[in-house]
Amino acid sequence: MKKTLLSLALILTFGAYTAFLRSDITSKLHTPIVPVTTPDPSPITQTPSPTPTTPTPAPTTPPSNTGKFKNGTYTGDSVDAFYGNVQVSAIISGGQLTNVTFLDYPRDRRTSLQKSNQAMPILKSEAISSQSANVNSVSGATYTSEAFTLSLTSALNQAKNI
């Protein structure tokens, strides 16, 4: 009799916990995606000019594509990161990787969202700095880091200047 009551209490507790997690996940699925931006760390300094100058008009020719990539926006493959998929978009301007946008990332659990929000700016910054998908993994977000590398690699392969 005691074993039966203990088993029943255990099953009810597990059921209540599962219902709580499902309601938490459902509320997170309706959370809008906020793009990740990285602030520019360099301060802008401006020295006053001693004499007034007339501005010269900027050239109207488009920037030459002198980098190793073709200009445009390239979408990488969606890669399974165990806790959710990662998919990025690489923006190439002037032949250089200028921005990385996360189209999909793990966010259905509170911990996944926290780790993604921690890792995404770091991964984005390293990719732009290195001009490649060869970035270090972020501690605590290893699966997300590996999926980011694979997705960005596929996007940059599409953008290669042959």
Side-chain angles (χ1 to χ4, degrees), residues 33-117:
I33 298 174
V34 179
V36 177
T37 58
T38 322
D40 184 13
S42 60
I44 299 174
T45 57
Q46 189 173 14
T47 57
S49 59
T51 59
T53 59
T54 54
T56 56
T60 56
T61 58
S64 64
N65 193 2
T66 59
K68 61 182 181 177
F69 302 114
K70 294 181 285 189
N71 291 340
T73 302
Y74 302 91
T75 302
D77 296 335
S78 181
V79 180
D80 182 18
F82 190 74
Y83 295 103
N85 292 331
V86 172
Q87 185 175 28
V88 299
S89 174
I91 300 169
I92 309 295
S93 179
Q96 301 291 317
L97 177 63
T98 58
N99 197 5
V100 177
T101 305
F102 284 82
L103 304 175
D104 196 10
Y105 56 92
R107 63 181 177 273
D108 67 333
R109 293 175 183 86
R110 190 175 314 148
T111 304
S112 297
L113 182 62
Q114 179 184 16
K115 289 183 181 193
S116 293
N117 285 337

Side-chain angles (χ1 to χ4, degrees), residues 2-18:
K2 288 182 183 180
K3 289 182 183 180
T4 305
L5 289 176
L6 183 60
S7 298
L8 184 59
L10 184 62
I11 290 171
L12 289 175
T13 303
F14 181 72
Y17 178 71
T18 304

Side-chain angles (χ1 to χ4, degrees), residues 68-70 72-80 85-92 96-104 119-136 143-160:
K68 61 182 181 177
F69 302 114
K70 294 181 285 189
T73 302
Y74 302 91
T75 302
D77 296 335
S78 181
V79 180
D80 182 18
N85 292 331
V86 172
Q87 185 175 28
V88 299
S89 174
I91 300 169
I92 309 295
Q96 301 291 317
L97 177 63
T98 58
N99 197 5
V100 177
T101 305
F102 284 82
L103 304 175
D104 196 10
M120 290 187 305
I122 296 168
L123 294 169
K124 175 182 172 179
S125 174
E126 283 194 28
I128 293 171
S129 296
S130 69
Q131 290 295 300
S132 72
N134 186 18
V135 297
N136 293 324
Y143 294 131
T144 301
S145 299
E146 291 170 356
F148 170 83
T149 299
L150 292 172
S151 184
L152 184 58
T153 297
S154 69
L156 293 178
N157 283 341
Q158 297 171 37
K160 277 191 179 172

